[in-house]
């Protein structure tokens, strides 16, 4: 294919329109075919230049960027000088046209990043010619705000590209490039981004200025890309969120030891609108996940103290947490604190007593508003589960205060789930019990928390079970059966049966006492009595959710008290016989 001149430009622009905006499938297929021919054409570079220089639509420029991206990734690669010319051309092109559509700039920046990565070790006249990228970007940073944004986008895209594993190429080559980039350039990029954020924060922030907001957003994304870098080539599974430790290189210690670094991102959270403050919190999640071995013991204690001070400030000024994005990231931040630090380290922090009170209050409020950001509750329960599980191993004389707050968390979870039932049934809301995977995950976390001050948990469950079972029995015996009221009581009983199964299943052989076993017996007895009551209603009526909850309870009871692996006899059987 050989297209040239103005007519060819017009034809290409029609094809772009068909490709990016067309609704006719046949036309789109034909357009894709012609454009593939363009990519493979010897005139591809000249045609791309024609589209960039004379194209009248953003889609023409996007097509040129797409073609260039595929061209520079071809095997065998283009000659070094030709790739250098393409890179320099694009840098000059975006510098002279800073008002291009954002998606066009992004596509062109991707070409620069690909050229830089693939040519990272290319030498010309004894120079590694593609490594002067920061010097090129600094020219953009000296221009207008639009130019600054383009410069930051180049660094951000380059960091992502260096971190991206292209499985069509040898993984050893990727790792060699990624490691070299980490050792020679990445720290400078992070320091540059933090420096620009400090400059921005030092001036009066005009939150109505869209350009300033865009620059802040791209700078925060750049910092996040630096902190999310795969430093050691582990290619960690991002879904394993609670297990993540950021393997910060040792030569970055100086950045992390400066209290101003953490202060900067806490200040940004409090100063920026919610869309951007969420990114500041995402950066803080990574800061909280920094590997422990980066610091000496005194340094780690100081760093943790600064993190806790920031948590306290956020919880004392909680307005920003009404935004779901901020709320979710803050919950992740809290969970990461306990993932990376031991309870013994937390309790000796100066502000610990006040902060644990604030976190408990925040958790209780979150559990009570069960319909708001339900996916974030996982992180709060993870925090409390790990805190309580660590209690036997704490050697510090400082009080951990979990015996005060863990029962309150347990109570808030139990009562909030019971209170959700009328709203679910009357207002037709999504029933949390329908999402069994989430329910079981939360119950597994709760069973650890509930075993702290277990007497309080059992007393609450006994009281609530008796109240709801008696109300249910009265409704069944009433001459005017109220189906709505019966459904509400059955929903509450389903939750209570799940909760009893949870606490019974949380029994640990090495810490359980006869008193705890007797409490389990009291709770289990009530479920067995409910089973008899439900059986008496068959075949006239039944409730699937209660029956599923009973099956869950029976499975937990069997594992705990009927299995072959029991280490000692328990008093639960006596208790059930006595009460039954």
């Amino acid at each position: 294919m050989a297209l040239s001149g103005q007519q060819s430009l017009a034809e290409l622009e029609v094809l772009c329109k068909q490709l990016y905006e067309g609704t006719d499938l046949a036309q789109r297929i034909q357009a894709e075919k012609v454009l593939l021919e363009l990519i493979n054409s010897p005139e591809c570079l000249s045609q791309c230049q024609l589209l960039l220089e004379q194209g009248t639509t953003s889609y023409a420029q996007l097509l040129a960027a797409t073609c260039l991206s595929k061209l520079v990734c071809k095997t065998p690669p283009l000659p070094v000088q030709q790739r250098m010319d393409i890179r320099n051309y694009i840098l000059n092109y975006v510098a002279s046209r800073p008002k291009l559509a954002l998606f066009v700039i992004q596509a062109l920046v991707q070409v620069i990043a690909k050229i830089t990565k693939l040519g990272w070790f290319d030498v010309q006249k004894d120079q590694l010619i593609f490594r002067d990228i920061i010097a090129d970007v600094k020219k953009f940073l000296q221009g207008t705000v639009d130019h600054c944004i383009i410069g930051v986008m180049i660094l951000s895209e380059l960091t992502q590209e260096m971190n991206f594993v292209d499985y069509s190429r040898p993984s050893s080559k990727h790792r060699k490039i990624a490691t070299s980039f980490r050792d020679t350039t990445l720290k400078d990029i992070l320091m540059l981004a933090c420096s620009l954020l400090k400059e921005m924060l030092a001036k009066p922030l005009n939150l109505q200025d869209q350009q300033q907001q865009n620059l802040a957003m791209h700078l925060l994304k750049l910092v996040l890309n630096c902190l999310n870098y795969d430093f050691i080539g582990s290619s960690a599974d991002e879904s394993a969120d609670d297990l993540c430790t950021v393997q910060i290189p040792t030569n970055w210690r100086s950045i992390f030891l400066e209290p101003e670094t953490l202060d900067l991102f806490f200040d940004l959270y409090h100063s920026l609108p919610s869309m951007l403050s969420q990114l500041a919190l995402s950066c803080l999640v990574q800061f909280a996940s920094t590997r422990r071995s980066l610091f000496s013991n005194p340094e780690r204690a100081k760093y943790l103290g600064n993190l806790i001070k920031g948590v306290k400030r956020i919880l004392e000024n909680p307005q920003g947490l009404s935004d779901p994005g901020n709320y979710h990231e803050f919950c992740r931040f809290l969970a990461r604190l306990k993932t990376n630090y031991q309870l013994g380290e937390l309790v000796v922090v100066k502000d610990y007593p006040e902060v644990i009170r604030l976190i408990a209050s925040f958790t209780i409020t979150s559990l009570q508003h069960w319909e708001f950001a339900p996916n974030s509750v996982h992180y709060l329960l993870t925090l409390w589960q790990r805190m309580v599980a660590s209690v036997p191993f704490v050697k510090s004389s400082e009080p951990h205060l979990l015996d005060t707050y863990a029962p309150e968390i347990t109570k808030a979870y139990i009562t909030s789930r019971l209170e959700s039932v009328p709203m679910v049934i009357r207002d037709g809301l999504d029933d949390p019990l329908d999402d069994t995977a989430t329910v079981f995950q939360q119950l597994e976390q709760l069973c650890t928390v509930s075993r702290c001050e277990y007497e309080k948990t059992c007393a609450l469950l006994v009281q609530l079970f008796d109240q709801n079972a008696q109300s249910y029995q009265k409704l069944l015996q009433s001459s005017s059966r109220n189906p709505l009221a019966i459904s509400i009581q059955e929903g509450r009983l389903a939750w209570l049966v799940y909760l009893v199964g949870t606490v019974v299943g949380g029994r640990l052989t090495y810490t359980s006492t006869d008193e705890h076993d007797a409490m389990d017996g009291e709770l289990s007895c009530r479920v067995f009595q409910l089973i008899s009551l439900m059986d008496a209603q068959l075949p006239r009526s039944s409730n699937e959710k209660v029956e599923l909850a009973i099956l869950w309870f029976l499975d937990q009871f069997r594992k705990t008290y009927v299995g072959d692996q029991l280490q000692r006899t328990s008093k639960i059987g006596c208790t059930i016989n006595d009460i039954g």
Side-chain angles (χ1 to χ4, degrees), residues 110-129:
Q110 284 176 353
V111 180
I112 295 171
K114 287 179 186 296
I115 290 173
T116 305
K117 179 178 181 179
L118 295 174
W120 192 249
F121 290 110
D122 286 346
V123 177
Q124 192 176 65
K125 295 179 181 178
D126 297 327
Q127 285 190 322
L128 294 158
I129 55 171

Side-chain angles (χ1 to χ4, degrees), residues 497-498 500-502 504 524 527-528 531 546-563:
V497 173
Y498 274 122
V500 170
T502 297
V504 169
S524 301
V527 178
F528 289 124
I531 293 173
V546 178
E547 290 173 355
L548 288 172
I550 288 170
L551 288 173
W552 158 264
F553 161 78
L554 291 172
D555 188 48
Q556 297 302 305
F557 184 85
R558 177 191 62 79
K559 288 176 183 175
T560 307
Y561 287 107
V562 186

Side-chain angles (χ1 to χ4, degrees), residues 186-301:
L186 192 58
K187 180 184 176 184
D188 293 336
I189 291 176
L190 176 64
M191 291 173 68
L192 179 60
C194 289
S195 173
L196 291 169
L197 284 167
K198 283 177 188 172
E199 286 179 23
M200 176 177 287
L201 206 55
K203 302 172 187 173
L205 272 176
N206 180 5
L207 299 181
Q208 304 308 315
D209 186 339
Q210 190 60 47
Q211 280 187 314
Q212 211 172 22
Q213 283 197 32
N214 286 341
L215 179 57
M217 177 186 71
H218 286 292
L219 281 168
L220 286 167
K221 284 184 176 179
L222 173 56
V223 172
L224 196 54
N225 286 338
C226 290
L227 297 174
N228 279 328
Y229 199 78
D230 186 5
F231 296 103
I232 58 172
S234 60
S235 299
D237 180 6
E238 291 180 6
S239 65
D241 188 80
D242 57 338
L243 301 174
C244 188
T245 298
V246 182
Q247 301 292 336
I248 296 296
T250 303
N251 65 340
W252 290 25
R253 282 178 80 250
S254 57
I255 303 174
F256 285 72
L257 288 176
E258 292 176 7
E260 294 80 11
T261 303
L262 284 179
D263 291 344
L264 170 64
F265 289 91
F266 281 116
D267 290 342
L268 285 165
Y269 165 76
H270 290 286
S271 305
L272 295 171
S274 56
M275 183 184 75
L276 301 178
S277 57
Q278 177 182 337
L279 286 170
L281 277 175
S282 297
C283 293
L284 285 166
V285 169
Q286 296 302 96
F287 278 111
S289 309
T290 302
R291 64 182 173 95
R292 294 170 52 82
S293 54
L294 186 68
F295 309 109
S296 65
N297 286 343
E299 290 168 348
R300 192 183 309 118

